[in-house]
Amino acid sequence: MAVHLRITTLVENTATKMGTLAEHGLSMLVEVDDLCLLLDTGQTNTVVHNAHVLGVDLSRVEHLVLSHGHSDHSGGLMKVLAETGEVIVHGHTDIWRPRYGTRGGGKPRFSGFPHVREQLESMGASFHLCDGPDWISREVMTTGPVPRVTPFEKLDADLKVKTPTGWEQDQVPDDQALLVKTPKGLVVLSGCAHSGIVNTLTWARQVAGEERIFAVLGGTHLGFSTAEQLAKTVDALHQFGIEKLGVSHCTGLLAASLLAREFGSRFFFNNVGTVTEWDL
Ligand SMILES: [Fe+2]
Ligand SMILES: [Fe+2]
């Protein structure tokens, strides 16, 4: 049966619509037929501000999916709850891990989920935490943790986790994508794709039992990758046969520009105010 899909980007690193704000982070409203979900929340009140400017009614959101616990994806949750009221929050069991970032040098800075669970619950959040793939409806699912299989998609050395014995590499085990299964193939919505966008798409096909990938939207983390990783990722993306590619956030402008040249009319910049609508 055909699926009507509408995706509105509420938070992203760049904003082009009058009155909206940009912020380092990501949030997308995803409407699949009658189902209304929010993927990530950005890091501050920007999500609510932009929703008001763009005429998006957040009280319609029934499910909220956290792609991972980094603050630029989860920090706006308390502000969002004030708009949504009761909502089911989907995420991995490890979203509260004590994580820090060292990019730019200096002391590690806290970059984890900045809210207390009990307070969020008192505002209407009902947590549905899971350490594997999870179906939200007949067409919509989360991937759960993404296996790292490609040799060229590396760990980000600036991401740390605090342990009783000191700092360790954060492997971001909570990283996952949101999938919409349609008659024309998968629509893959990624937060940061910390496990690698090629690994994410490979796992998405496996976990959803669908080989065709119609569209990919969201963060790819290519802004922090080597030239070798970027080149190998572009080759792999071509092989997936993607029909629409709308990158955001941690893709960065340089990698996004390269992808724009490679994918031509199939490419778009997915930034604040971008509305993508398909009958698939
Ligand atoms: Fe991010
Ligand atoms: Fe992240």
Side-chain angles (χ1 to χ4, degrees), residues 1-263:
M1 214 165 69
V3 173
H4 183 75
L5 187 60
R6 181 180 164 96
I7 300 159
T8 308
T9 301
L10 296 175
V11 176
E12 206 270 329
N13 300 36
T14 50
T16 55
K17 294 276 188 306
M18 186 80 84
T20 59
L21 297 172
E23 164 178 291
H24 177 82
L26 192 65
S27 176
M28 291 185 266
L29 186 88
V30 183
E31 295 167 87
V32 184
D33 294 327
D34 293 333
L35 186 69
C36 186
L37 302 96
L38 190 69
L39 173 64
D40 293 342
T41 67
Q43 56 176 306
T44 68
N45 191 42
T46 299
V47 57
V48 173
H49 170 88
N50 286 348
H52 289 167
V53 172
L54 296 168
V56 170
D57 178 8
L58 289 173
S59 73
R60 294 175 44 239
V61 172
E62 301 157 89
H63 295 266
L64 199 149
V65 176
L66 292 176
S67 65
H68 62 307
H70 271 147
S71 56
D72 54 329
H73 297 255
S74 63
L77 182 51
M78 205 174 281
K79 301 291 187 187
V80 166
L81 287 172
E83 303 283 311
T84 61
E86 288 189 5
V87 69
I88 302 168
V89 181
H90 302 260
H92 186 268
T93 49
D94 218 2
I95 46 177
W96 271 282
R97 64 203 269 111
R99 57 199 352 158
Y100 291 73
T102 57
R103 212 177 306 288
K107 280 174 56 176
R109 294 172 296 280
F110 180 72
S111 61
F113 195 179
H115 305 304
V116 175
R117 178 169 181 165
E118 289 71 18
Q119 191 172 4
L120 297 170
E121 286 172 336
S122 75
M123 295 179 70
S126 175
F127 281 92
H128 183 87
L129 303 180
C130 182
D131 55 11
D134 193 17
W135 287 94
I136 295 172
S137 75
R138 209 158 50 97
E139 294 94 6
V140 181
M141 71 181 298
T142 56
T143 60
V146 174
R148 293 175 182 264
V149 294
T150 64
F152 58 86
E153 293 182 299
K154 309 287 190 199
L155 291 162
D156 184 336
D158 283 317
L159 304 181
K160 305 289 185 205
V161 62
K162 199 175 194 176
T163 75
T165 53
W167 296 108
E168 286 179 11
Q169 169 73 49
D170 187 0
Q171 309 220 8
V172 202
D174 49 327
D175 172 67
Q176 61 178 343
L178 182 70
L179 310 180
V180 184
K181 201 171 176 178
T182 83
K184 290 194 177 160
L186 294 175
V187 175
V188 181
L189 301 152
S190 64
C192 272
H194 281 291
S195 308
I197 192 66
V198 178
N199 284 332
T200 301
L201 299 180
T202 304
W203 181 239
R205 293 208 295 200
Q206 205 172 319
V207 82
E210 169 61 69
E211 283 295 298
R212 297 162 304 154
I213 297 177
F214 176 77
V216 178
L217 278 79
T220 65
H221 218 59
L222 289 171
F224 306 108
S225 68
T226 60
E228 184 204 4
Q229 179 175 336
L230 183 55
K232 288 187 170 167
T233 299
V234 168
D235 284 348
L237 289 176
H238 279 305
Q239 285 166 24
F240 282 114
I242 298 161
E243 294 188 39
K244 303 285 176 191
L245 177 62
V247 298
S248 311
H249 181 45
C250 49
T251 304
L253 294 177
L254 273 178
S257 304
L258 178 71
L259 291 167
R261 193 179 67 195
E262 289 283 333
F263 283 81

